[in-house]
Structures are given as C-alpha cells and as structure tokens.
RNA sequence: GGCGCCGUACCCAAGUGGUAAGGGAGAGGUCUGCAAAACCUUGAUGCAGCGGUUCGAAUCCGCUCGGCGCCUCCA
C-alpha cells in the first residue's frame, strides 16, 4: 500500500517516501492547555488519528510525537500580547501548572473518548526549555538572531526561503491590519525566540537563559521537541490549516536556519469545521465542546463518524441535523455488526473470498489516496449491503476496516444488555400476555419497560431489547 | 487590497476529463395484534449562472453571482 498525501509544501499530491524505510516520524501540533478543546479543534486530532492509523495499517512503524503547549503562547503579537496560560491562571486564581495539568487531562479525556490513539510521546514545552535554549544558541551562532527591547528575535531577512510553505512572497500582506506590530522588530515577519522579563516583569513562569531570565516564544518549542524525538529531518508534520502562514512558517525558518538541513518532508494540514457558515472559534462564542454533545445524548463516536464523512482538506459544516444523521448511521452500523457477530466468528484476513477481498482492496486504495475517509466509509457500507458475501467474510473485512476508522466495532458485543430481575420478569410477562393475545397487558408491560429505559423489539427469534442512552 | 479555497438532491457529503459513491431524512412495499426493528424498492439527464476548449466537462479555461479561510492568537 503506497500512500499518497497532499503536501502543503509544493501544493501537490506526493507519494510518501519515509526517510528511514518502514518507519515514519510524525509530529502533530498539540493543544495549548489553557481551556477546553472545542469540536473544531478535535476534528484536527481525528484527522491526524486517521493518518496515523492508516500509516500503521500500511505496515509502517509510526513514531507519533505531540507537544503540549503550557507556556509562551501569546494572545497577540509580542509586546501587547499576553501568555494564554498566565491569563487563564490570573482569571481563575490558580497557578499556570494547575491550569496546564487540568486541561491536559481534559484534552486526553476527550481524545480517549473519540478513540484517538495516544501519541508515542506527548511532551510538555516546560519540560524542554533547555532544548529550546540550545536551539536558540545555534541560531545565534549562525547569525539569524538579534536582540531588541530585551527580546531575542529571529531575523527573517537572513533566511531567503522564508514563507515558502505559505507562498508568502506572492502575498501583499497588510501589516498591522488589525493589530499593532511590535516596534522592536526589524521586519513585521520577525518573531520572538526568547522573551526576557524586561517586558513582562510579573511573568510567573521564568527560566534562566544566556539572554536573561524569561521564557521561550511559542514557535521554538515545536522545533526543539520534534528534533529531540524525531531527528533533524523527519517525515510528516501535521496541524490545522491556520498554522501555515505563521506558526509552521516560523518553525521551518528557525529549524532549517539552525541545522542547515531540510527539516520536514511532508506538511499535511486539516481544514476547519464550520459552525453556522463560520469557523468555530472561542472568540466568536460559537464553539461547543465534546462534553456539550455528550450532555445532549450523543456518543463521542457519533462525532468521530461525522468527521469521517468529510474529507480532511475540505471545510466541514457542523449542524445537529447532520450529526443526527451520523448517529443514526452509526447505530445502524453497530446493529449490523452485532448481527454479524452473533452469526459468525471473524476469520484470518487473507482467507476471505476474492469478492470480499475486493472491497478491502478498494478501501485501501481510498485511504492511500490522500486519506479519502468518506470514500472508505462508503466502501464499508457497500460491503455490508452485498448479499453475495458471507457473514464471516463481511465481519472479517469490516473489523479490518475499523482498524483505521476506529469506530470500536471490535468492542461491540453480540450479547443483549443484561436486565435486572424486574425487567426480565416484565419481558416474560409480556411474552405470556402476547401468547394469550392479551394485547392490553402486553402493551402495559412494554410501556413500563420503556419508562425504565428498555426498548423492546420483536424479532422472529423472540424479543430483543436495547437500553436507551 | 493580496493570498488560499469552495458552491453537487431536503441535510451532510465523495467525485484525481469518460458519462453523478455513501449516510441520514422522506416515500412505497413485505412482515407484524399494534408499535418498533428488520428487509426490499425508490431520489439529481443534473453538479451556482453564462460562455469556451474537447469526440466527451461536475471535473480544464474565462467571466459573473454567492460563500469561507488567512494576512492577528487560532485546529
């Protein structure tokens, strides 16, 4: 299975050729842990999870690194900005460390519920200050930095290919269009590598450095940590599409200026989730969290399924009508898989019939073609509806597909949910009443069960039930 | 103003020049004491509009209309 991905660097589909055969170094920009993630954020992590699973499915060994930003990510450009962690700490009266610990846990709780695999390593910025200082020293030695107003800046004019990823040379940017530019900069595109306390005397998190006590800029953490865990040149760097013009552009500049080598071979970016035709954002107040969905009675996997329905490089419009469609589709899917499980045992993947294997081949092809998850999902439905395929082959192939889709089909149990003694007795009473054609009594039992959260369905094999969520 | 995109059925959505995947909703039917479930059948001669290239266009080109993102922290 040869995977092709759309590389933002170059803007074209490219075959993935790992630096080291059979292995892939994957770096994904992680959360800034100052608040809960919203479902738009989570869409990106779902896409990255599909990518990782697809790589592993294709037989590659993936070293998946994700950072946790717990310092240095400002709310604005340089001087007028505020550290997001400290802002949250100040507003809640807690320490930045407490804030970070709390939202880191909340984040992993969300990803776990979405069946997103944990990174091989997730690393906190504050645990890698030394690596960042080391990298800034290399940049300084190579002549890419200057100190102004007490901060260490990266001098973008010294890096000729600056902005290649975002095609910045083709743009006529409006500097300071909506926010004042830091006057310490030689060039508006320059960015801070290290802040000293000259500007932020009260900053709670400070570390010693050759340039004075202070804290790192946001961008430097990704360069320092990715290099530590993946080496100075690695395969894939992911993130949201919004990171292309600034964050990822700056990461490339500082990384390659330090090492003199090509840093990342493939840049893969996820598009936005739209809410009411606009991007979901905390600032516009139109964001919802995973917990909001759970509180409304949805399973987190309903949202995962929803995301699978759109291509990662297309904007996806969120609304409850289509989330309902995803929920219904998933419940239908689960029912089918449960029925298959009660009828057959999964077999070895390479033992299934040719016609069943064809579905898997097509499925693989869709994944390999720039992660076309919607098409892959479609393939699964076509397989399920193909009456010429045996139940065992269907089950085997579907479970194989779910290794990438991650809908927890393997965990579904064929057995009916357990009933309490009272509930079981009511089911029996209803059956007895039905046999004697006492429909009124039978319906009373059904209503009572319904009020207890048990939904009865009559099948040719007798009554079946599900518990209402 | 520049840059990057998008506009496909009631909703979401795939579609990489060769004759419109899939899901949901809806409709009809089988079954059923009823209900639910299940199963079967069913949907765009059409892809914002208008031109053009082509044997052939949702796919390529141009224009028009409408929408989104970025240029500011942002997934």
């Amino acid at each position: 299975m040869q995977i092709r991905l759309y590389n933002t660097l170059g803007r074209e589909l490219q075959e993935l050729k790992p630096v080291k055969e059979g292995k892939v170094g994957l770096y994904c920009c992680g959360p800034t842990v100052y608040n809960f993630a919203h479902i738009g954020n989570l869409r990106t992590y779902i896409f990255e999870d599909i990518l990782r699973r697809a790589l592993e499915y294709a037989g590659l060994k993936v070293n998946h690194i994700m950072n946790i930003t717990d310092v240095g990510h400002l709310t604005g450009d340089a001087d007028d900005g505020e550290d997001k962690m400290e802002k949250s700490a100040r507003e809640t009266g807690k320490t930045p460390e407490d804030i970070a610990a709390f939202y880191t846990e909340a984040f992993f709780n969300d990803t776990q519920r979405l069946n997103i695999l944990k990174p091989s390593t997730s690393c906190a910025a504050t645990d890698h200050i030394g690596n960042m200082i080391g990298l800034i020293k290399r940049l300084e030695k190579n002549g890419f930095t200057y100190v102004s107003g007490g901060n260490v800046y990266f001098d973008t004019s010294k890096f000729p290919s600056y902005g290649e990823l975002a095609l910045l040379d083709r743009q006529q940017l409006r500097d300071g269009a909506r926010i004042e530019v830091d006057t310490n900069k030689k060039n508006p595109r320059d960015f801070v590598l290290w802040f000293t306390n000259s500007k932020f005397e009260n900053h709670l998190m400070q570390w010693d450095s050759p340039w004075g006590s202070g804290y790192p800029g946001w961008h430097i953490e990704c360069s320092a940590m990715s290099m530590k865990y993946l080496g100075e040149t690695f395969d894939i760097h992911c993130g949201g599409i919004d990171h292309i013009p600034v964050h990822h552009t700056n990461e490339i500049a500082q990384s390659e200026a330090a090492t003199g080598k090509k840093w990342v071979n493939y840049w893969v970016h996820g598009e936005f989730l739209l809410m009411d035709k606009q991007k979901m954002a905390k600032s516009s107040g139109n964001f919802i969290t995973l917990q909001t969905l759970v509180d409304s009675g949805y399973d987190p996997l309903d949202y995962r399924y929803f995301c699978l329905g759109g291509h990662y490089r297309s904007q996806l419009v969120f609304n409850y009508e289509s989330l309902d469609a995803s929920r219904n589709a998933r419940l239908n899917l689960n029912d089918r898989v449960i029925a298959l499980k009660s009828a057959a045992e999964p077999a070895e993947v390479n033992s299934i019939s040719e016609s069943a294997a064809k579905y898997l081949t097509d499925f693989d092809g869709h994944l390999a073609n720039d992660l076309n998850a919607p098409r892959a999902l479609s393939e699964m439905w076509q397989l399920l509806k193909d009456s010429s395929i045996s139940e065992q082959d269907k089950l085997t192939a579907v479970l194989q597909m779910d290794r990438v889709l991650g809908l927890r089909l393997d965990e579904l149990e064929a057995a009916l949910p357990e009933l309490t003694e009272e509930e079981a007795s009511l089911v029996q009473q209803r059956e007895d009443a039905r046999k004697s054609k006492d429909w009124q009594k039978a319906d009373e039992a059904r209503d009572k069960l319904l009020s207890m959260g048990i939904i009865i369905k009559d099948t040719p094999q007798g009554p079946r039930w599900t518990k209402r969520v």
Side-chain angles (χ1 to χ4, degrees):
Chain A
M1 186 169 157
Q2 178 55 57
I3 293 181
R4 288 196 306 158
L5 292 171
Y6 183 84
N7 193 348
T8 304
L9 188 60
R11 315 270 161 150
E12 63 177 9
L13 277 177
Q14 295 174 353
E15 286 205 353
L16 176 66
K17 291 182 188 133
V19 177
K20 290 178 192 156
E21 202 181 331
K23 295 182 179 177
V24 173
L26 173 67
Y27 186 88
C28 300
C29 280
T32 301
V33 284
Y34 71 106
N35 203 337
F36 291 108
H38 63 243
I39 58 173
N41 299 327
L42 293 171
R43 182 190 181 197
T44 298
Y45 298 104
I46 291 172
F47 132 66
E48 289 163 353
D49 186 57
I50 298 294
L51 170 60
R52 176 195 165 162
R53 286 170 181 265
L55 294 170
E56 290 180 342
Y57 180 88
L60 296 161
K61 184 156 172 35
V62 180
N63 193 8
H64 176 195
I65 309 298
M66 188 178 75
N67 63 302
I68 302 289
T69 298
D70 56 357
V71 68
H73 195 163
L74 305 185
T75 57
D77 191 30
D79 272 11
D80 61 347
E82 192 172 6
D83 187 295
K84 287 187 171 181
M85 297 301 305
E86 300 222 341
K87 182 163 185 272
S88 182
R90 180 170 50 70
E91 286 167 358
T92 57
K94 293 179 179 159
T95 67
E97 289 78 10
D98 288 344
I99 298 287
F102 178 80
Y103 288 111
T104 299
E105 190 184 336
F107 175 76
F108 282 115
N109 183 35
D110 282 349
T111 56
Q112 188 272 331
R113 289 194 286 179
L114 289 164
N115 202 20
I116 292 170
L117 297 172
K118 270 208 152 191
S120 318
T121 301
S122 52
C123 39
T126 50
D127 292 334
H128 297 77
I129 302 294
N131 301 86
M132 300 180 209
I133 291 174
L135 197 57
I136 299 169
K137 278 187 187 166
R138 286 175 78 177
L139 288 169
E140 190 173 48
K141 193 176 157 215
N142 293 351
F144 287 95
T145 67
Y146 62 91
V147 175
S148 177
N151 298 326
V152 181
Y153 289 87
F154 183 91
D155 188 344
T156 53
S157 67
K158 300 274 175 62
F159 190 75
S161 65
Y162 183 82
E164 204 175 37
L165 180 75
L167 308 175
L168 290 185
D169 57 332
R170 278 159 53 174
Q171 304 192 19
Q172 291 178 19
L173 301 176
R174 268 191 185 176
D175 297 318
R178 281 189 285 170
I179 196 160
E180 217 168 305
V181 178
D182 178 0
T183 50
N184 292 322
K185 292 179 178 182
K186 289 187 191 168
N187 181 302
R189 226 57 60 219
D190 294 350
F191 54 94
V192 176
L193 296 165
W194 187 265
F195 292 95
T196 69
N197 58 7
S198 63
K199 299 294 169 192
F200 301 96
E201 289 176 12
N202 301 320
H203 205 271
L204 297 169
M205 294 180 283
Q206 294 194 26
W207 293 265
D208 286 330
S209 84
W211 313 279
S213 179
Y215 63 99
W218 174 39
H219 313 299
I220 197 74
E221 70 171 90
C222 288
S223 294
M225 294 194 285
S226 64
M227 283 186 207
K228 173 177 176 182
Y229 294 103
L230 297 171
E232 294 187 350
T233 299
F234 62 93
D235 302 299
I236 307 176
H237 193 311
C238 290
I241 194 169
D242 52 312
H243 280 150
I244 296 170
V246 180
H247 184 48
H248 290 166
T249 289
N250 291 347
E251 283 184 46
I252 291 171
Q254 66 197 3
S255 299
E256 300 191 350
T259 67
K261 298 179 203 163
K262 176 86 175 279
W263 180 47
V264 169
N265 287 329
Y266 304 89
W267 286 88
V268 187
H269 291 99
E271 252 290 359
F272 276 122
L273 181 75
L274 302 186
M275 186 79 169
D276 301 326
K277 296 275 176 186
Q278 286 185 328
K279 75 164 179 170
M280 184 171 288
K282 284 166 185 164
S283 52
S284 50
N286 65 348
F287 73 96
I288 52 183
T289 63
L290 188 64
Q291 190 58 42
T292 309
L293 299 184
V294 170
D295 291 343
S296 305
Y298 295 96
D299 187 303
L301 293 180
D302 294 334
Y303 181 63
R304 185 181 174 99
Y305 187 102
F306 171 83
C307 290
L308 256 33
H311 192 267
Y312 78 90
R313 280 198 294 119
S314 296
Q315 293 177 342
L316 181 61
V317 178
F318 178 85
N319 60 53
Y320 281 99
E321 191 181 350
S322 52
L323 185 63
D324 282 344
S326 296
R327 170 167 61 185
N328 291 340
R330 203 177 66 82
L331 290 175
N332 186 347
L333 172 67
N334 285 354
D335 283 350
R336 284 168 186 268
V337 172
I338 286 172
L340 289 173
K341 283 188 174 184
S342 60
E345 290 285 322
E348 291 291 319
V349 173
N350 52 20
S351 73
I352 61 176
S353 70
E354 223 172 277
S355 49
K358 175 73 163 55
Y359 284 103
L360 272 180
T361 307
D362 291 347
F363 178 89
D364 295 355
H366 294 133
L367 279 182
N369 183 20
D370 197 27
L371 302 181
N372 194 331
R375 205 62 194 229
L377 201 55
S378 158
E379 209 63 39
M380 180 156 84
W381 279 104
Q382 289 176 66
L383 164 71
L384 284 166
K385 295 204 163 178
D386 188 337
S387 56
S388 74
I389 309 285
S390 76
E391 286 167 319
Q392 183 175 51
D393 286 356
K394 266 187 199 174
L395 181 61
T396 305
V398 164
L399 291 179
Q400 176 73 356
M401 292 171 173
D402 197 48
R403 284 175 52 197
V404 179
L405 301 179
L407 296 168
R408 295 196 206 271
L409 300 181
D410 54 329
E411 295 172 24
L412 293 173
E413 291 187 24
L416 293 166
E418 290 221 7
L419 296 181
T420 64
E421 219 169 283
E422 186 191 4
E423 290 163 348
S425 154
L426 277 167
V427 171
Q428 191 54 49
Q429 282 174 36
R430 175 166 176 273
E431 280 312 286
D432 294 343
R434 290 183 71 218
K435 264 178 202 149
S436 52
K437 298 194 189 297
D438 186 347
W439 309 125
Q440 195 185 337
K441 201 177 166 196
D443 290 350
E444 277 169 17
R446 184 168 63 200
D447 289 345
K448 186 128 189 249
L449 281 164
L450 189 62
S451 72
M452 295 162 79
I454 306 292
I455 301 160
I456 291 279
K457 304 167 192 173
D458 295 321
T459 75
Q461 292 78 40
R464 295 287 181 266
W465 53 86
T466 51
K467 292 203 177 190
R468 191 159 48 191
V469 273

